[in-house]
Amino acid sequence: MKKKTLLWGLILAASTSVWAAGDTKSAPEKKSPAVAKKESVKPITSTAAKDWAYLPVNTSVPVPDAGNSKWVRSPIDNFVLARLNEYGLKPSEEADRATYIRRVTLDLLGLLPTPAEVEAFEKDKSPDAYEKLVDRLLASPHFGERQARRWLDLARYADSAGFQNDQTRPNNWRYRDYVIKSFNDDKPFNQFVREQIAGDEIWPDSQEAKIATGLLAGYPDNFNSRDLVQRHYQIATDMTDLVGETFLASTIGCARCHNHKIDKISQVEYFQLQAFFANTFNNERIELAKGSETQWDIDFITAQSVYQAAIKPITDQQKAILDQVREKGRKYHNERYLTDSREAIFKPKEQWTPLDKWVNARLNAVASERDIAGYLRETSQKGHSQYDPANVERWAEYEKLTEELKKYDNLRPRRGSKTYTALTELGTEAPATHVRFNGIHERPLEAVEPGLPKLWAGNNTQLQITPTATSTGRRTALANWLVSEENPLTPVCMSTVYGRNCSPKVLQELWKILVALVKSQPIRSCWIISLLIL
């Protein structure tokens, strides 16, 4: 109840406008609006040090005595009121009930209240009417849907992979639903962060925690890329930039190519941060645990079984045709990759380095029957360097069978999946991470180990990393630091929504609340406070 009362007070405070013009009784004379504005309005500027946002939160900021104790309902109000007093302004009158329920319902659910709900609230004369209203809205499933949108924007959520083909990611919605459920379940914020960075390492037996890693798995992807070493670098780059922007309030991408021109982050430090993700691999085809299927999943699995049973005689014939050229077709397809990728692909498995292991895992993830069919089609054409007359007849028969498949399109499920996407690691040894000249992946410089930029971590830039039985443990170390008291930036990132409109003193008071909440408090408390001080 204590947490709900705090939220209710903040929501009520946020529902009242504070920019109304004040009385002019104390003014010795009336002046034109233009003259009054010129003489009295002072620019709102920050006198804080350049790097003030990266310093530990000062929790000893004195709360000003701004008077008007009837209006003040939280320490934050004192800062607001003190600033209004400087300009001779006063708070607006408290919103009437019809206005209040409209505002709070839009804030929390993104929907307007119904006329019946407005009427019921206006007639509710109980002393806890406001608290009951907020509790009802927080209990609504629409609360999670509304608030998750903002987090999904930070997570650059999409249901497709981008690039030229923009392939559909049929199970990406599971991450979306995970975020919605987290808000509705009031999950502790530190758990919410740790699950998304390293859920597969910290809770390896939890399907929900592994689905949470979809945050990092949502990078734009080109499944047809012929440079798998470059894809490894680009994926790790996307994860690094996302963590910096989402959890650390820092657009650190500039430091990939050169020392950051504004924030004190060097290029070496950027790649030390990237090293936390060097061994991370994205598996998009993990089977759902038995008993975890939703009705949506069951309907899809049922429809897919009917479809596959109907087309099995045709697909078996197609497979028999491709089996005749499979070995040549796979070799032909693999030879289309660039030199550094081919070196890993054709290397004996016992000689694989950690990077070779990642390249081959990626190769297997994107390989399909279409590769072999493509070889069959190309080598059935005269003039091709590997033209085979026998493939002409094979391809003709394969095409005929493909046309027959279209007869069953009405049975094919149009959407859904029986899998989920999650991050994993490919062993306890990570590929080496190198600084790259101007960020160019073909020009590696010195190798670096995982570490944090000094700007964020001070002198504690090296984290204790404990490998698990199947992974490096690097992301676990990073996730634990992100929600630790040593890191002031995770609560800071929540304040970036409104930080431009608050003075450093006001932010320090707000951060006192946010820092305390991030330690273990529910995500709902953290998120509402960060959003309603707008």
Side-chain angles (χ1 to χ4, degrees):
M1 187 63 191
K2 185 176 180 181
K3 287 180 285 189
K4 291 182 178 178
T5 302
L6 170 63
L7 293 176
W8 171 76
L10 286 167
I11 293 169
L12 186 60
S15 71
T16 304
S17 172
V18 297
W19 300 111
D23 291 333
T24 57
K25 294 179 181 178
S26 60
E29 60 177 341
K30 292 185 177 180
K31 299 181 181 181
S32 69
V35 173
K37 183 176 181 180
K38 181 177 180 181
E39 292 182 357
S40 64
V41 176
K42 295 172 287 187
I44 300 176
T45 58
S46 171
T47 58
K50 181 180 179 181
D51 297 327
W52 67 277
Y54 299 98
L55 300 176
V57 177
N58 181 3
T59 60
S60 61
V61 179
V63 178
D65 182 7
N68 197 354
S69 59
K70 186 176 180 180
W71 183 81
V72 172
R73 304 189 187 192
S74 77
I76 297 171
D77 294 340
N78 286 280
F79 290 93
V80 174
L81 189 58
R83 192 64 165 172
L84 291 179
N85 290 340
E86 290 183 32
Y87 291 90
L89 302 175
K90 69 175 183 179
S92 295
E93 295 297 323
E94 184 172 313
D96 60 70
R97 288 203 171 195
T99 301
Y100 177 79
I101 188 175
R102 178 185 174 92
R103 289 176 179 174
V104 73
T105 307
L106 280 171
D107 278 344
L108 297 185
L109 305 188
L111 303 168
L112 287 171
T114 65
E117 289 171 336
V118 175
E119 182 180 2
F121 182 58
E122 289 180 319
K123 291 180 178 179
D124 187 352
K125 303 304 180 184
S126 59
D128 61 346
Y130 286 89
E131 291 165 303
K132 289 191 297 184
L133 169 63
V134 173
D135 285 346
R136 175 176 66 80
L137 296 175
L138 292 177
S140 168
H142 299 307
F143 170 79
E145 295 165 359
R146 165 72 166 172
Q147 305 307 324
R149 293 186 310 111
R150 296 182 172 95
W151 187 264
L152 293 171
D153 284 344
L154 296 175
R156 46 60 172 133
Y157 174 82
D159 289 309
S160 58
F163 281 94
Q164 297 95 326
N165 296 322
D166 197 27
Q167 287 183 257
T168 298
R169 284 172 162 160
N171 60 32
N172 225 29
W173 60 271
R174 300 190 195 279
Y175 171 71
R176 178 202 66 199
D177 284 9
Y178 157 81
V179 176
I180 293 172
K181 184 175 183 294
S182 295
F183 277 97
N184 283 333
D185 290 351
D186 216 5
K187 179 174 291 185
F189 188 73
N190 61 353
Q191 180 182 343
F192 183 64
V193 173
R194 294 173 76 221
E195 284 177 343
Q196 292 180 87
I197 300 297
D200 59 304
E201 288 188 328
I202 303 173
W203 296 281
D205 297 326
S206 169
Q207 180 170 285
E208 179 178 348
K210 288 187 282 189
I211 289 174
T213 61
L215 169 79
L216 296 177
Y219 50 80
D221 201 4
N222 182 4
F223 292 90
N224 197 37
S225 172
R226 288 293 180 253
D227 191 342
L228 301 184
V229 175
Q230 183 190 52
R231 287 306 302 141
H232 174 264
Y233 171 54
Q234 290 175 335
I235 290 170
T237 294
D238 182 90
M239 293 179 180
T240 306
D241 294 352
L242 178 69
V243 168
E245 294 166 4
T246 304
F247 297 105
L248 299 169
S250 302
T251 51
I252 61 173
C254 297
R256 180 167 63 95
C257 300
H258 52 74
N259 293 342
H260 206 294
K261 296 182 182 296
I262 300 175
D263 296 333
K264 297 175 182 176
I265 300 174
S266 70
Q267 190 183 20
V268 170
E269 289 175 320
Y270 176 89
F271 285 99
Q272 288 175 326
L273 183 64
Q274 189 180 101
F276 284 103
F277 308 104
N279 200 39
T280 303
F281 185 77
N282 180 21
N283 187 345
E284 298 185 353
R285 301 172 187 171
I286 304 176
E287 291 283 335
L288 289 170
K290 295 295 183 182
S292 68
E293 302 92 341
T294 65
Q295 188 59 49
W296 178 276
D297 300 321
I298 294 171
D299 291 344
F300 169 79
I301 293 170
T302 301
Q304 187 185 51
S305 298
V306 171
Y307 174 67
Q308 289 179 339
I311 66 172
K312 188 176 186 303
I314 300 175
T315 55
D316 283 349
Q317 293 179 65
Q318 287 186 315
K319 181 179 181 300
I321 293 172
L322 295 183
D323 283 345
Q324 299 175 58
V325 297
R326 186 172 301 279
E327 184 176 347
K328 291 182 179 179
R330 181 55 60 195
K331 181 175 182 293
Y332 173 80
H333 179 78
N334 290 348
E335 287 173 344
R336 305 280 76 75
Y337 286 95
L338 299 189
T339 303
D340 50 359
S341 301
R342 292 201 306 272
E343 290 174 357
I345 292 169
F346 291 102
K347 185 183 294 185
K349 187 173 183 178
E350 60 272 13
Q351 298 178 18
W352 283 358
T353 66
L355 180 58
D356 295 334
K357 187 182 293 186
W358 192 98
V359 168
N360 280 279
R362 168 72 180 193
L363 176 70
N364 291 333
V366 298
S368 70
E369 291 287 86
R370 291 190 300 271
D371 305 333
I372 312 304
Y375 166 79
L376 181 62
R377 182 190 68 252
E378 292 179 24
T379 55
S380 68
Q381 299 171 359
K382 289 184 178 180
H384 192 277
S385 60
Q386 297 188 33
Y387 170 71
D388 184 346
N391 286 348
V392 176
E393 184 178 347
R394 292 171 182 152
W395 176 244
E397 180 61 21
Y398 189 88
E399 277 193 305
K400 179 182 176 182
L401 292 169
T402 301
E403 286 299 314
E404 288 185 32
L405 282 176
K406 294 179 180 179
K407 299 176 182 178
Y408 300 93
D409 279 354
N410 62 314
L411 298 178
R412 185 174 185 176
R414 299 302 177 189
R415 51 192 176 185
S417 72
K418 59 180 181 179
T419 60
Y420 66 91
T421 293
L423 297 185
T424 185
E425 296 213 355
L426 303 176
T428 58
E429 186 179 356
T433 298
H434 293 266
V435 179
R436 308 281 173 166
F437 178 80
N438 280 357
I440 303 171
H441 91 280
E442 295 96 338
R443 301 185 65 178
L445 302 175
E446 70 269 24
V448 295
E449 293 298 318
L452 301 170
K454 191 173 182 179
L455 176 64
W456 301 340
N459 294 323
N460 302 316
T461 59
Q462 301 302 311
L463 299 180
Q464 181 176 353
I465 299 174
T466 304
T468 71
T470 57
S471 68
T472 62
R474 292 183 176 189
R475 283 181 289 117
T476 296
L478 177 62
N480 290 338
W481 176 80
L482 285 172
V483 297
S484 72
E485 295 184 15
E486 299 175 3
N487 167 35
L489 287 170
T490 297
V492 170
C493 80
M494 299 172 66
S495 72
T496 56
V497 181
Y498 56 85
R500 295 174 186 169
N501 301 319
C502 298
S503 71
K505 287 185 178 180
V506 173
L507 283 177
Q508 287 168 340
E509 182 62 29
L510 296 176
W511 288 351
K512 287 166 63 178
I513 300 173
L514 290 172
V515 169
L517 289 172
V518 166
K519 293 178 184 176
S520 62
Q521 291 301 312
I523 182 177
R524 185 177 295 171
S525 306
C526 304
W527 197 248
I528 291 179
I529 289 175
S530 71
L531 292 176
L532 291 185
I533 314 298
L534 283 170

